[in-house]
Amino acid sequence: MSDPLNYLFGALADPNRRQVIGLLSERGSATATELTGELPMTRQAVSKHLTTLADAGLVASARQGRETRYTLTQTGAEWDDRLDALRRHLQKRTL
Amino acid sequence: MSDPLNYLFGALADPNRRQVIGLLSERGSATATELTGELPMTRQAVSKHLTTLADAGLVASARQGRETRYTLTQTGAEWDDRLDALRRHLQKRTL
DNA sequence: CTATAGCGCAACTTGGAGGTTGCACATGAT
DNA sequence: ATCATGTGCAACCTCCAAGTTGCGCTATAG
């Protein structure tokens, strides 16, 4: 059994994945193809990131019809806030 | 310029590095060779991890004499606490 | 002054993460 | 029934992080 913190921090370590969290926070929900428009990579790459985020418990998927919509979980939303706070916090320390 | 969050989460993503944080929290300070006794790897590997933690601002190094002692920074100590809190938090969600 | 303990640097190997392409499957529209 | 849209799966490539080994430098001990 692997430490859940591995999944969590591993997921948060990638800047593209953090951006996905931000986008999901803005939009409420999105599909992989929608997010592809905002990111410099293919749909499959986005899809992999979403899977990684889901494994970490930050994102939930729900297939309706022929599309799969992703939303932030409670934990994911909390981390979206914490990321902003952390950025500001680290800004101050670097000044 | 790379996002400081990359360094931070990248550093925290490795379980060995989190263990190093815990060990430094227990001991107050330690050298790379001392920590090697507690970890399943060579001194150079431990040294690399300490450098990574230092780059993330979690650890500080101070060479005195022929040994280099490492200590947690303020940020590092805060994260040591948060890691425990996060483990407990994720435990509950998994039950 | 010599020996030894501690450290840093550099080269090398390897496994996995991030990304791409290609194809097959399912669902909604015409 | 057909065509288009959205997705998932699998193979492949590339690059870097994690770890090792080997060597050389510095500093304390004898």
Side-chain angles (χ1 to χ4, degrees), chain B residues 43 51 55 59 72 88:
Chain B
R43 174 185 62 84
T51 301
D55 289 343
V59 147
L72 289 181
R88 283 190 292 270

PDB file of all heavy atoms in Angstrom, chain B residues 43 51 55 59 72 88:
ATOM      1  N   ARG B  43      24.936   7.644   1.344  1.00  0.00           N
ATOM      2  CA  ARG B  43      25.078   9.012   1.828  1.00  0.00           C
ATOM      3  C   ARG B  43      24.844  10.020   0.722  1.00  0.00           C
ATOM      4  O   ARG B  43      24.206  11.056   0.937  1.00  0.00           O
ATOM      5  CB  ARG B  43      26.485   9.195   2.408  1.00  0.00           C
ATOM      6  CG  ARG B  43      26.816  10.624   2.816  1.00  0.00           C
ATOM      7  CD  ARG B  43      28.263  10.744   3.271  1.00  0.00           C
ATOM      8  NE  ARG B  43      29.185  10.398   2.199  1.00  0.00           N
ATOM      9  CZ  ARG B  43      29.587  11.238   1.251  1.00  0.00           C
ATOM     10  NH1 ARG B  43      29.135  12.479   1.226  1.00  0.00           N
ATOM     11  NH2 ARG B  43      30.432  10.858   0.321  1.00  0.00           N
ATOM     12  N   THR B  51      19.719  18.484  -0.476  1.00  0.00           N
ATOM     13  CA  THR B  51      19.852  19.622  -1.386  1.00  0.00           C
ATOM     14  C   THR B  51      18.503  20.011  -1.974  1.00  0.00           C
ATOM     15  O   THR B  51      18.150  21.200  -2.056  1.00  0.00           O
ATOM     16  CB  THR B  51      20.828  19.272  -2.521  1.00  0.00           C
ATOM     17  OG1 THR B  51      22.090  18.928  -1.948  1.00  0.00           O
ATOM     18  CG2 THR B  51      21.004  20.443  -3.464  1.00  0.00           C
ATOM     19  N   ASP B  55      16.625  23.531  -1.597  1.00  0.00           N
ATOM     20  CA  ASP B  55      16.155  24.340  -2.721  1.00  0.00           C
ATOM     21  C   ASP B  55      14.690  24.732  -2.550  1.00  0.00           C
ATOM     22  O   ASP B  55      14.264  25.795  -3.003  1.00  0.00           O
ATOM     23  CB  ASP B  55      16.319  23.572  -4.039  1.00  0.00           C
ATOM     24  CG  ASP B  55      17.780  23.430  -4.438  1.00  0.00           C
ATOM     25  OD1 ASP B  55      18.612  24.176  -3.882  1.00  0.00           O
ATOM     26  OD2 ASP B  55      18.089  22.570  -5.277  1.00  0.00           O
ATOM     27  N   VAL B  59      14.729  23.269   4.392  1.00  0.00           N
ATOM     28  CA  VAL B  59      15.871  22.849   5.190  1.00  0.00           C
ATOM     29  C   VAL B  59      16.993  23.853   5.000  1.00  0.00           C
ATOM     30  O   VAL B  59      17.117  24.459   3.933  1.00  0.00           O
ATOM     31  CB  VAL B  59      16.302  21.430   4.726  1.00  0.00           C
ATOM     32  CG1 VAL B  59      17.784  21.230   4.841  1.00  0.00           C
ATOM     33  CG2 VAL B  59      15.544  20.368   5.519  1.00  0.00           C
ATOM     34  N   LEU B  72      15.668  21.999  10.045  1.00  0.00           N
ATOM     35  CA  LEU B  72      14.448  22.458   9.404  1.00  0.00           C
ATOM     36  C   LEU B  72      14.378  23.976   9.480  1.00  0.00           C
ATOM     37  O   LEU B  72      14.722  24.567  10.508  1.00  0.00           O
ATOM     38  CB  LEU B  72      13.211  21.862  10.091  1.00  0.00           C
ATOM     39  CG  LEU B  72      12.937  20.373   9.891  1.00  0.00           C
ATOM     40  CD1 LEU B  72      11.665  19.960  10.616  1.00  0.00           C
ATOM     41  CD2 LEU B  72      12.820  20.035   8.416  1.00  0.00           C
ATOM     42  N   ARG B  88      -3.710  12.257   9.066  1.00  0.00           N
ATOM     43  CA  ARG B  88      -4.923  11.962   9.850  1.00  0.00           C
ATOM     44  C   ARG B  88      -6.173  12.301   9.058  1.00  0.00           C
ATOM     45  O   ARG B  88      -7.149  11.553   9.057  1.00  0.00           O
ATOM     46  CB  ARG B  88      -4.890  12.745  11.171  1.00  0.00           C
ATOM     47  CG  ARG B  88      -3.954  12.132  12.199  1.00  0.00           C
ATOM     48  CD  ARG B  88      -4.151  12.800  13.551  1.00  0.00           C
ATOM     49  NE  ARG B  88      -3.704  14.183  13.549  1.00  0.00           N
ATOM     50  CZ  ARG B  88      -2.476  14.583  13.846  1.00  0.00           C
ATOM     51  NH1 ARG B  88      -1.554  13.693  14.163  1.00  0.00           N
ATOM     52  NH2 ARG B  88      -2.164  15.862  13.823  1.00  0.00           N
TER      53      ARG B  88
END
